[in-house]
């Protein structure tokens, strides 16, 4: 018979400063609130998650089933199976015209781990890390974990939220070790063109101590044409760590496979950290990822068609909502309107909307649509809606939002 044991509550004083200063992920917190409401029987439309609503393509699932039958159940090499790393090199050549060997590739348990490995490998306590804002929520927390100093560099809405080379030049100091960004960007959907990156690469080339962590996880979800990688600029290639993965392009969020491509010394450092923390990524997920790459881009292209259509649908509906200022995203699956025109207004229940968080809560309470406010992305005037939902859901959501926002006075 099991014995019930009552554990004394853990006092926060026993926890490390590292954990006490870390923010809980806002995207996960909002999703939790919307689940609570849904559990009470409310019909909530969840647009807070950064997750494709598609199933993983069948040929990838079949490869995972085969992996089990073929006996892929043992520990895997820490940086990933050699066949998978070779397939990643082939992809980088095919899609990005980048030459890498297996020694440059480290496969990890999601691109999130790849980012953490890279930051922990490069950043010493006190080093400055320039994070282009708006940014993906985990960047700043990972830098803090490495005891780096976060320097937020905000791209203006007039420039499609993109940081310019001149702004970067002005922000670099002798302590700057790394710059971090995503393109296509979560949360804004903006995409750096080859010319934008050429100008940024010129700045980086002038500062020998500066490295670039280029997060290209949304590479395939691009509505404006060719994807450009900053590692393509050969004079800084050895200082660029390109991060990519399978979660978004192949709808494989739950499988947890990401990777870096980098100079072999940096790749070895990432491997060393990973060897002490998680070891190699799940054997079955790696075999599935290998099949995904061998299948090329066709399944991703089908999903992108849907994301493109949904983006247009949402933009059209958002345009009809007075007070939302919604730039056109060039990629990823989000819209990121500026909502500051609602600050200071009052809801029918008397609540004053002081900021984007209040507005996000009002939209959840009144329209039953969940979204994420921009504070966690370094953009306190904005809120993020995911467009990775069925067309009818998006139509319904934006009809409800329009009706609710019209009640604010
Ligand atoms: C910009 C960005 N980078 C990295 C990740 C993490 O991806 P993964 O699921 O591979 O860990 C996400 C996931 O939302 C993301 O939006």
């Amino acid at each position: 018979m099991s014995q019930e044991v009552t554990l004394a509550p853990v006092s926060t004083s026993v926890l490390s400063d590292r954990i006490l200063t870390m923010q809980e992920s806002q995207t996960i917190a909002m999703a939790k609130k919307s689940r609570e409401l849904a559990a009470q029987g409310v019909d909530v439309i969840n647009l807070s998650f950064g997750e494709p609503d598609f199933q993983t393509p069948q040929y990838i699932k079949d490869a995972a089933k085969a992996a089990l039958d073929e006996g892929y159940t043992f520990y895997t090499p820490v940086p990933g199976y050699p066949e998978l790393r070779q397939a990643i090199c082939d992809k980088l050549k095919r899609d990005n015209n980048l030459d890498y060997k297996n020694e440059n590739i480290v496969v990890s348990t999601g691109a999130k781990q790849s980012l953490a490995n890279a930051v922990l490998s490069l950043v010493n306590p006190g080093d400055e890390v320039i994070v282009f804002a708006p940014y993906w929520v985990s960047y700043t927390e990972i830098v803090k974990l490495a005891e780096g100093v976060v320097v937020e560099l905000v791209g203006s809405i007039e420039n499609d939220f993109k940081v310019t080379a001149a702004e970067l030049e002005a922000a670099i100091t002798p302590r700057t070790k790394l710059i971090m960004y995503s393109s296509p960007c979560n949360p804004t959907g903006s995409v750096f063109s080859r010319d934008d990156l050429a100008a940024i690469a010129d700045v980086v080339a002038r500062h020998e101590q500066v490295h670039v962590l280029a997060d290209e996880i949304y590479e395939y979800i691009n509505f404006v044409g060719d994807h450009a990688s900053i590692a393509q600029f050969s004079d800084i290639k050895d200082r660029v760590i390109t991060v990519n993965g399978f979660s978004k392009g192949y709808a494989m969020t739950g499988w947890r496979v990401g990777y870096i491509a980098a100079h072999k010394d940096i790749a070895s450092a990432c491997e060393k950290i990973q060897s002490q923390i998680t070891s190699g990524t799940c054997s079955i997920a790696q075999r599935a990822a290998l099949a995904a790459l061998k299948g090329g881009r066709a399944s991703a292209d089908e999903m992108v068609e849907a994301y493109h259509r949904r983006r247009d649908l949402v933009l059209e509906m958002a345009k009809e909502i007075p007070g939302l200022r919604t730039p056109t995203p060039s990629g990823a699956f989000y819209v990121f309107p500026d909502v500051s025109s609602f600050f200071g207004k009052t809801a029918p229940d008397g609540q004053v909307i002081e900021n984007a968080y209040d507005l996000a809560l009002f939209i959840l309470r009144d329209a039953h649509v969940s979204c994420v406010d921009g504070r966690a992305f370094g953009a306190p005037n904005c809120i993020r809606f995911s467009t990775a939902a069925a067309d009818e859901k998006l139509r319904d959501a934006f009809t409800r939002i329009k009706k609710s926002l019209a009640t604010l006075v």
Side-chain angles (χ1 to χ4, degrees):
M1 214 172 80
S2 72
Q3 205 184 348
E4 234 180 68
V5 179
T6 312
L7 293 171
V10 177
S11 151
T12 51
S13 63
V14 304
L15 301 177
S16 67
D17 294 346
R18 186 177 305 120
I19 201 70
L20 293 175
T21 55
M22 186 185 278
Q23 302 274 338
E24 198 194 340
S25 164
Q26 283 294 321
T27 46
I28 292 173
M30 259 332 250
K32 196 167 133 200
K33 276 195 199 323
S34 86
R35 265 200 308 275
E36 282 163 10
L37 209 58
Q40 295 163 24
V42 177
D43 166 28
V44 178
I45 301 178
N46 186 350
L47 302 185
S48 59
F49 252 167
E51 170 156 72
D53 59 324
F54 296 106
Q55 276 287 318
T56 303
Q58 190 57 44
Y59 77 95
I60 300 174
K61 291 183 181 176
D62 289 343
K65 291 180 197 164
L68 277 175
D69 292 338
E70 288 160 13
Y72 284 92
T73 60
F74 298 95
Y75 281 130
T76 61
V78 172
Y81 286 129
E83 310 88 289
L84 176 57
R85 284 186 287 152
Q86 184 56 53
I88 290 168
C89 293
D90 297 344
K91 177 258 175 246
L92 289 165
K93 183 70 190 163
R94 181 194 70 202
D95 293 345
N96 314 102
N97 197 25
L98 291 172
D99 289 302
Y100 284 109
K101 299 195 190 115
N102 280 16
E103 65 188 15
N104 302 110
I105 309 296
V106 179
V107 176
S108 298
T109 302
K112 194 181 270 194
Q113 189 187 20
S114 302
L115 289 160
N117 283 345
V119 171
L120 289 166
S121 293
L122 287 168
V123 175
N124 274 319
D127 283 350
E128 291 173 6
V129 179
I130 297 178
V131 179
F132 291 3
Y135 47 76
W136 182 49
V137 289
S138 293
Y139 291 173
T140 48
E141 301 315 304
I142 292 172
V143 171
K144 284 193 237 161
L145 199 58
E147 297 178 55
V149 176
V150 174
V151 178
E152 290 187 22
L153 187 57
V154 183
S156 70
I157 192 167
E158 290 73 24
N159 193 40
D160 203 15
F161 295 112
K162 290 189 286 189
V163 167
T164 65
E167 288 163 344
L168 175 62
E169 180 70 70
I172 289 177
T173 76
R175 300 286 338 231
T176 308
K177 184 65 184 282
L178 186 65
I179 67 174
M180 286 175 84
Y181 65 82
S182 59
S183 176
C185 174
N186 176 4
T188 64
S190 47
V191 170
F192 281 123
S193 68
R194 199 178 156 75
D195 287 349
D196 294 332
L197 291 179
I200 288 172
D202 275 350
V203 173
V204 173
R206 286 198 288 276
H207 299 274
E208 275 184 352
Q209 84 285 11
V210 176
H211 293 67
V212 182
L213 192 45
D215 181 348
E216 303 188 355
I217 188 123
Y218 291 94
E219 173 184 9
Y220 286 171
I221 308 171
N222 177 335
F223 316 129
V224 292
D226 281 352
H227 173 82
S229 296
I230 198 163
Q232 288 163 341
F233 298 95
S234 53
D235 50 343
I236 62 160
K237 184 181 173 199
D238 283 351
R239 290 190 270 136
V240 175
I241 303 98
T242 303
V243 174
N244 209 325
F246 297 82
S247 290
K248 315 294 175 174
Y250 290 100
M252 291 177 68
T253 46
W255 301 75
R256 314 304 306 127
V257 194
Y259 59 88
I260 58 148
H263 184 279
K264 72 175 171 32
D265 293 348
I266 297 175
S268 297
C270 291
E271 178 181 342
K272 189 170 167 189
I273 287 184
Q274 188 159 295
S275 75
Q276 296 295 10
I277 296 184
T278 55
S279 296
T281 297
C282 164
S283 54
I284 302 157
Q286 285 197 55
R287 294 295 295 174
L290 175 62
L293 287 177
K294 290 204 162 148
R297 294 182 60 148
S299 59
D301 289 344
E302 266 174 49
M303 294 186 244
V304 172
E305 224 180 277
Y307 293 135
H308 199 165
R309 188 184 63 244
R310 292 161 176 184
R311 180 204 69 169
D312 291 346
L313 166 76
V314 165
L315 279 180
E316 203 159 299
M317 294 193 75
K319 232 175 30 206
E320 300 300 314
I321 302 178
L324 288 189
R325 184 176 174 206
T326 315
T328 300
S330 302
F333 40 64
Y334 310 98
V335 288
F336 200 57
D338 182 304
V339 294
S340 54
S341 70
F342 294 99
F343 299 170
K345 293 199 171 186
T346 307
D349 62 4
Q351 193 221 344
V352 178
I353 306 295
E354 306 273 11
N355 49 42
Y357 179 61
D358 289 347
L359 191 72
L361 284 183
F362 169 71
I363 291 172
L364 180 61
R365 206 169 60 238
D366 200 80
H368 301 153
V369 176
S370 75
C371 57
V372 190
D373 80 277
R375 284 173 316 169
F377 304 101
N381 288 342
C382 297
I383 49 182
R384 189 191 77 174
F385 296 100
S386 166
T387 57
D391 297 31
E392 318 81 73
K393 278 208 169 156
L394 292 170
R395 226 174 261 122
D396 191 9
F398 279 84
T399 307
R400 293 188 201 180
I401 293 167
K402 183 178 181 185
K403 204 163 144 213
S404 290
L405 292 181
T407 66
L408 297 176
V409 287

Coordinates of all heavy atoms in Angstrom, one line a residue, residues 326-387:
T326 N -1.7 47.4 -38.1 CA -1.1 46.1 -38.3 C -0.2 46.1 -39.5 O -0.7 46.0 -40.7 CB -2.3 45.1 -38.5 OG1 -3.3 45.3 -37.6 CG2 -1.8 43.7 -38.4
P327 N 1.1 46.0 -39.3 CA 2.0 45.9 -40.4 C 1.8 44.6 -41.1 O 1.3 43.6 -40.5 CB 3.4 46.0 -39.8 CG 3.2 46.5 -38.5 CD 1.8 46.1 -38.0
T328 N 2.2 44.5 -42.4 CA 2.0 43.2 -43.1 C 3.2 42.3 -42.9 O 4.4 42.6 -43.2 CB 2.0 43.5 -44.7 OG1 0.9 44.4 -44.9 CG2 1.8 42.3 -45.5
P329 N 3.0 41.1 -42.3 CA 4.1 40.2 -42.0 C 4.6 39.6 -43.3 O 3.7 39.2 -44.2 CB 3.5 39.2 -41.1 CG 2.1 39.6 -40.8 CD 1.7 40.6 -41.8
S330 N 5.9 39.4 -43.5 CA 6.4 38.8 -44.7 C 6.6 37.3 -44.6 O 6.9 36.6 -45.5 CB 7.8 39.4 -45.1 OG 7.6 40.8 -45.3
G331 N 6.5 36.8 -43.3 CA 6.7 35.4 -43.1 C 6.2 35.0 -41.7 O 5.6 35.8 -41.0
A332 N 6.6 33.8 -41.3 CA 6.1 33.2 -40.0 C 4.6 33.2 -40.0 O 3.9 33.3 -41.0 CB 6.7 33.9 -38.8
F333 N 4.0 32.9 -38.8 CA 2.5 32.8 -38.8 C 1.9 33.6 -37.6 O 1.2 33.1 -36.8 CB 2.0 31.4 -38.8 CG 2.8 30.4 -38.0 CD1 2.8 30.5 -36.6 CD2 3.4 29.3 -38.6 CE1 3.5 29.6 -35.8 CE2 4.1 28.4 -37.8 CZ 4.2 28.5 -36.5
Y334 N 2.2 34.9 -37.7 CA 1.7 35.8 -36.6 C 1.3 37.1 -37.3 O 1.9 37.5 -38.3 CB 2.8 36.1 -35.6 CG 3.4 34.9 -35.0 CD1 4.6 34.4 -35.5 CD2 2.8 34.1 -34.0 CE1 5.2 33.3 -35.0 CE2 3.3 33.0 -33.6 CZ 4.6 32.5 -34.0 OH 5.1 31.4 -33.6
V335 N 0.4 37.9 -36.6 CA 0.3 39.3 -36.9 C 0.6 40.0 -35.6 O 0.3 39.5 -34.5 CB -1.1 39.7 -37.5 CG1 -1.3 39.2 -38.9 CG2 -2.2 39.3 -36.6
F336 N 1.1 41.2 -35.7 CA 1.6 41.9 -34.5 C 1.2 43.4 -34.5 O 2.0 44.2 -34.7 CB 3.1 41.7 -34.5 CG 3.8 41.9 -33.1 CD1 3.4 41.1 -32.1 CD2 4.8 42.9 -33.0 CE1 4.1 41.3 -30.8 CE2 5.4 43.0 -31.7 CZ 5.1 42.2 -30.7
P337 N -0.1 43.6 -34.3 CA -0.6 45.0 -34.4 C -0.1 45.8 -33.2 O 0.0 45.3 -32.0 CB -2.1 44.8 -34.4 CG -2.4 43.5 -33.8 CD -1.2 42.6 -34.1
D338 N 0.1 47.1 -33.4 CA 0.3 48.1 -32.4 C -1.1 48.5 -31.9 O -2.0 48.8 -32.7 CB 1.0 49.3 -33.0 CG 1.2 50.4 -31.9 OD1 0.3 50.8 -31.3 OD2 2.4 50.8 -31.8
V339 N -1.3 48.4 -30.6 CA -2.7 48.6 -30.0 C -2.7 49.8 -29.0 O -3.6 49.9 -28.3 CB -3.2 47.3 -29.3 CG1 -3.4 46.2 -30.3 CG2 -2.2 46.9 -28.2
S340 N -1.7 50.6 -29.1 CA -1.5 51.7 -28.1 C -2.7 52.7 -28.2 O -3.0 53.4 -27.2 CB -0.2 52.4 -28.3 OG 0.0 52.9 -29.6
S341 N -3.4 52.7 -29.3 CA -4.6 53.7 -29.4 C -5.7 53.3 -28.4 O -6.6 54.1 -28.1 CB -5.1 53.7 -30.8 OG -5.8 52.5 -31.1
F342 N -5.7 52.1 -27.8 CA -6.7 51.7 -26.9 C -6.3 52.0 -25.4 O -7.2 51.9 -24.6 CB -7.0 50.2 -27.0 CG -7.6 49.8 -28.3 CD1 -6.8 49.3 -29.4 CD2 -8.9 50.0 -28.6 CE1 -7.3 48.9 -30.6 CE2 -9.5 49.6 -29.8 CZ -8.7 49.1 -30.8
F343 N -5.1 52.4 -25.2 CA -4.6 52.6 -23.8 C -5.4 53.8 -23.3 O -5.5 54.8 -24.0 CB -3.1 52.8 -23.7 CG -2.3 51.6 -24.2 CD1 -0.9 51.8 -24.4 CD2 -2.9 50.4 -24.5 CE1 -0.1 50.7 -24.9 CE2 -2.1 49.3 -25.0 CZ -0.8 49.5 -25.1
G344 N -5.9 53.7 -22.1 CA -6.6 54.8 -21.4 C -8.1 54.6 -21.6 O -8.9 55.3 -21.0
K345 N -8.6 53.7 -22.5 CA -10.0 53.5 -22.7 C -10.6 52.6 -21.6 O -9.8 51.9 -20.9 CB -10.3 52.9 -24.1 CG -9.9 53.8 -25.2 CD -10.5 53.4 -26.5 CE -10.3 54.5 -27.5 NZ -11.0 54.2 -28.8
T346 N -11.9 52.6 -21.5 CA -12.6 51.9 -20.4 C -13.5 50.8 -21.0 O -14.3 51.1 -21.9 CB -13.4 52.9 -19.5 OG1 -12.5 53.9 -19.1 CG2 -13.9 52.2 -18.3
A347 N -13.5 49.7 -20.4 CA -14.3 48.6 -20.8 C -15.7 48.7 -20.2 O -15.8 49.4 -19.2 CB -13.7 47.2 -20.4
P348 N -16.7 48.0 -20.7 CA -18.1 48.2 -20.1 C -18.1 47.8 -18.6 O -19.0 48.3 -17.9 CB -18.9 47.2 -21.0 CG -18.2 47.0 -22.2 CD -16.7 47.2 -21.9
D349 N -17.3 46.9 -18.2 CA -17.3 46.5 -16.8 C -16.5 47.5 -15.9 O -16.3 47.3 -14.7 CB -16.7 45.1 -16.6 CG -15.3 44.9 -17.0 OD1 -14.7 46.0 -17.4 OD2 -14.7 43.8 -17.0
G350 N -16.0 48.6 -16.5 CA -15.3 49.7 -15.7 C -13.8 49.5 -15.7 O -13.1 50.4 -15.2
Q351 N -13.3 48.4 -16.2 CA -11.8 48.3 -16.2 C -11.2 49.2 -17.2 O -11.6 49.3 -18.4 CB -11.5 46.8 -16.6 CG -10.0 46.5 -16.2 CD -9.3 45.7 -17.3 OE1 -10.0 45.0 -18.1 NE2 -8.0 45.6 -17.2
V352 N -10.1 49.9 -16.7 CA -9.4 50.8 -17.6 C -8.3 50.0 -18.3 O -7.6 49.3 -17.6 CB -8.8 52.0 -16.8 CG1 -8.0 52.9 -17.8 CG2 -9.9 52.8 -16.2
I353 N -8.2 50.1 -19.6 CA -7.1 49.4 -20.3 C -5.8 50.3 -20.2 O -5.7 51.3 -20.9 CB -7.5 49.2 -21.8 CG1 -8.8 48.5 -21.9 CG2 -6.4 48.5 -22.5 CD1 -8.9 47.1 -21.4
E354 N -4.9 49.9 -19.3 CA -3.7 50.7 -19.1 C -2.6 50.3 -20.1 O -1.8 51.2 -20.4 CB -3.1 50.4 -17.7 CG -4.1 50.6 -16.5 CD -4.2 52.1 -16.1 OE1 -3.6 52.9 -16.8 OE2 -4.8 52.3 -15.0
N355 N -2.6 49.1 -20.5 CA -1.5 48.6 -21.4 C -1.9 47.4 -22.2 O -3.1 47.0 -22.2 CB -0.3 48.3 -20.5 CG -0.7 47.3 -19.3 OD1 -1.5 46.4 -19.5 ND2 -0.2 47.6 -18.1
A356 N -1.0 46.9 -23.0 CA -1.3 45.7 -23.9 C -1.7 44.5 -23.1 O -2.5 43.7 -23.6 CB -0.1 45.5 -24.8
Y357 N -1.1 44.3 -21.9 CA -1.5 43.1 -21.1 C -3.0 43.2 -20.7 O -3.8 42.3 -20.9 CB -0.7 43.1 -19.9 CG -1.0 41.9 -19.0 CD1 -0.9 40.6 -19.4 CD2 -1.4 42.1 -17.6 CE1 -1.2 39.5 -18.6 CE2 -1.8 41.0 -16.8 CZ -1.6 39.7 -17.3 OH -1.9 38.7 -16.5
D358 N -3.4 44.4 -20.3 CA -4.9 44.6 -19.9 C -5.7 44.4 -21.2 O -6.8 43.8 -21.1 CB -5.1 46.1 -19.5 CG -4.5 46.4 -18.1 OD1 -4.2 45.4 -17.4 OD2 -4.5 47.5 -17.7
L359 N -5.3 44.8 -22.3 CA -6.1 44.6 -23.5 C -6.2 43.1 -23.9 O -7.2 42.6 -24.2 CB -5.5 45.4 -24.7 CG -6.4 45.5 -25.9 CD1 -7.6 46.4 -25.6 CD2 -5.7 46.0 -27.2
A360 N -5.0 42.4 -23.8 CA -5.0 41.0 -24.1 C -6.0 40.2 -23.1 O -6.8 39.4 -23.6 CB -3.6 40.4 -24.0
L361 N -6.0 40.6 -21.8 CA -6.9 40.0 -20.9 C -8.4 40.4 -21.2 O -9.3 39.5 -21.1 CB -6.6 40.5 -19.5 CG -5.4 39.8 -18.8 CD1 -5.2 40.3 -17.4 CD2 -5.5 38.3 -18.8
F362 N -8.6 41.6 -21.6 CA -10.0 42.0 -22.0 C -10.4 41.2 -23.2 O -11.6 40.7 -23.2 CB -10.0 43.5 -22.3 CG -11.3 44.0 -23.0 CD1 -12.4 44.0 -22.2 CD2 -11.3 44.3 -24.3 CE1 -13.6 44.4 -22.8 CE2 -12.5 44.7 -24.9 CZ -13.7 44.7 -24.2
I363 N -9.6 41.1 -24.2 CA -10.0 40.3 -25.4 C -10.3 38.8 -25.0 O -11.2 38.2 -25.5 CB -8.8 40.4 -26.5 CG1 -8.8 41.8 -27.0 CG2 -9.1 39.4 -27.6 CD1 -7.6 42.1 -28.0
L364 N -9.5 38.3 -24.1 CA -9.8 36.9 -23.6 C -11.1 36.9 -22.9 O -12.0 36.0 -23.1 CB -8.6 36.4 -22.7 CG -8.8 35.0 -22.2 CD1 -8.9 34.0 -23.3 CD2 -7.6 34.6 -21.3
R365 N -11.3 37.8 -22.0 CA -12.5 37.8 -21.1 C -13.8 38.1 -22.0 O -14.8 37.5 -21.8 CB -12.4 38.9 -20.1 CG -13.1 38.8 -18.8 CD -12.7 39.8 -17.8 NE -12.9 41.2 -18.2 CZ -11.9 42.1 -18.3 NH1 -10.7 41.8 -18.0 NH2 -12.2 43.3 -18.6
D366 N -13.7 39.0 -22.9 CA -14.9 39.5 -23.6 C -15.1 38.8 -24.9 O -16.2 38.5 -25.3 CB -14.7 41.0 -23.8 CG -16.1 41.7 -24.0 OD1 -16.8 41.9 -23.0 OD2 -16.4 41.9 -25.2
A367 N -14.0 38.6 -25.7 CA -14.2 38.0 -27.0 C -13.9 36.5 -27.0 O -14.1 35.8 -28.0 CB -13.3 38.7 -28.0
H368 N -13.3 36.1 -25.9 CA -12.9 34.7 -25.7 C -11.9 34.3 -26.8 O -12.0 33.2 -27.4 CB -14.2 33.8 -25.7 CG -15.1 34.1 -24.6 ND1 -16.5 33.8 -24.7 CD2 -14.9 34.6 -23.4 CE1 -17.0 34.2 -23.5 NE2 -16.1 34.7 -22.8
V369 N -11.0 35.2 -27.1 CA -9.9 34.9 -28.0 C -8.6 35.1 -27.2 O -8.4 36.2 -26.6 CB -9.9 35.8 -29.2 CG1 -8.7 35.6 -30.1 CG2 -11.2 35.6 -30.0
S370 N -7.7 34.1 -27.2 CA -6.5 34.4 -26.5 C -5.3 34.8 -27.4 O -5.2 34.3 -28.5 CB -6.1 33.1 -25.6 OG -5.5 32.2 -26.5
C371 N -4.5 35.7 -26.9 CA -3.4 36.3 -27.7 C -2.3 36.6 -26.6 O -2.5 36.3 -25.5 CB -3.8 37.5 -28.4 SG -4.5 38.8 -27.4
V372 N -1.2 37.1 -27.1 CA -0.1 37.4 -26.1 C 0.3 38.8 -26.2 O 0.5 39.3 -27.3 CB 1.2 36.5 -26.4 CG1 2.2 36.6 -25.3 CG2 0.8 35.1 -26.6
D373 N 0.4 39.5 -25.1 CA 0.8 40.9 -25.1 C 2.2 41.1 -25.4 O 3.0 40.2 -25.2 CB 0.3 41.6 -23.9 CG 1.3 41.4 -22.7 OD1 1.2 40.4 -22.0 OD2 2.1 42.3 -22.5
G374 N 2.6 42.2 -25.9 CA 4.0 42.4 -26.5 C 5.1 42.6 -25.5 O 6.3 42.5 -25.9
R375 N 4.8 42.7 -24.2 CA 5.9 43.0 -23.2 C 6.9 41.9 -23.3 O 8.1 42.2 -23.3 CB 5.3 43.0 -21.8 CG 4.6 44.2 -21.4 CD 4.0 44.0 -20.0 NE 3.4 42.7 -20.0 CZ 2.9 42.1 -18.9 NH1 3.0 42.7 -17.7 NH2 2.4 40.9 -18.9
A376 N 6.5 40.6 -23.4 CA 7.4 39.5 -23.4 C 8.3 39.5 -24.6 O 9.3 38.8 -24.7 CB 6.7 38.2 -23.2
F377 N 7.9 40.2 -25.7 CA 8.6 40.3 -26.9 C 9.4 41.6 -27.0 O 9.9 41.9 -28.1 CB 7.7 40.2 -28.1 CG 6.8 39.0 -28.1 CD1 5.5 39.1 -27.7 CD2 7.2 37.8 -28.5 CE1 4.6 38.0 -27.8 CE2 6.4 36.7 -28.6 CZ 5.1 36.8 -28.2
G378 N 9.4 42.4 -25.9 CA 10.1 43.7 -26.0 C 9.4 44.7 -26.8 O 10.0 45.6 -27.4
A379 N 8.1 44.6 -26.9 CA 7.3 45.5 -27.7 C 6.0 45.8 -26.9 O 4.9 45.3 -27.2 CB 7.0 44.9 -29.1
P380 N 6.0 46.7 -25.9 CA 4.9 46.8 -25.0 C 3.6 47.5 -25.6 O 2.6 47.5 -25.0 CB 5.4 47.7 -23.9 CG 6.7 48.4 -24.4 CD 7.2 47.4 -25.5
N381 N 3.7 48.0 -26.9 CA 2.6 48.6 -27.5 C 1.8 47.6 -28.4 O 0.8 48.0 -29.0 CB 3.0 49.8 -28.4 CG 3.4 51.0 -27.5 OD1 3.0 51.0 -26.3 ND2 4.1 51.9 -28.1
C382 N 2.3 46.4 -28.5 CA 1.7 45.4 -29.4 C 1.1 44.2 -28.8 O 1.4 43.9 -27.6 CB 2.8 45.0 -30.4 SG 3.6 46.3 -31.3
I383 N 0.3 43.5 -29.5 CA -0.1 42.2 -29.1 C 0.1 41.2 -30.3 O 0.0 41.6 -31.5 CB -1.5 42.1 -28.6 CG1 -2.6 42.7 -29.4 CG2 -1.6 42.6 -27.2 CD1 -4.0 42.6 -28.9
R384 N 0.3 39.9 -30.0 CA 0.6 38.9 -31.0 C -0.6 38.0 -31.1 O -1.0 37.4 -30.1 CB 1.8 38.2 -30.7 CG 2.3 37.3 -31.9 CD 3.4 36.3 -31.5 NE 2.8 35.2 -30.7 CZ 3.5 34.1 -30.4 NH1 4.8 34.0 -30.6 NH2 3.0 33.1 -29.7
F385 N -1.1 37.8 -32.4 CA -2.1 36.8 -32.7 C -1.4 35.8 -33.6 O -0.8 36.2 -34.6 CB -3.3 37.4 -33.4 CG -4.1 38.4 -32.7 CD1 -3.9 39.8 -32.9 CD2 -5.0 38.0 -31.7 CE1 -4.6 40.7 -32.2 CE2 -5.7 38.9 -31.0 CZ -5.6 40.3 -31.3
S386 N -1.6 34.5 -33.3 CA -1.1 33.5 -34.2 C -2.1 33.3 -35.3 O -3.3 33.4 -35.1 CB -0.9 32.2 -33.4 OG -0.8 31.1 -34.3
T387 N -1.6 33.1 -36.5 CA -2.5 32.8 -37.6 C -2.5 31.4 -38.0 O -3.0 31.0 -39.1 CB -2.2 33.7 -38.9 OG1 -0.8 33.5 -39.2 CG2 -2.4 35.2 -38.6

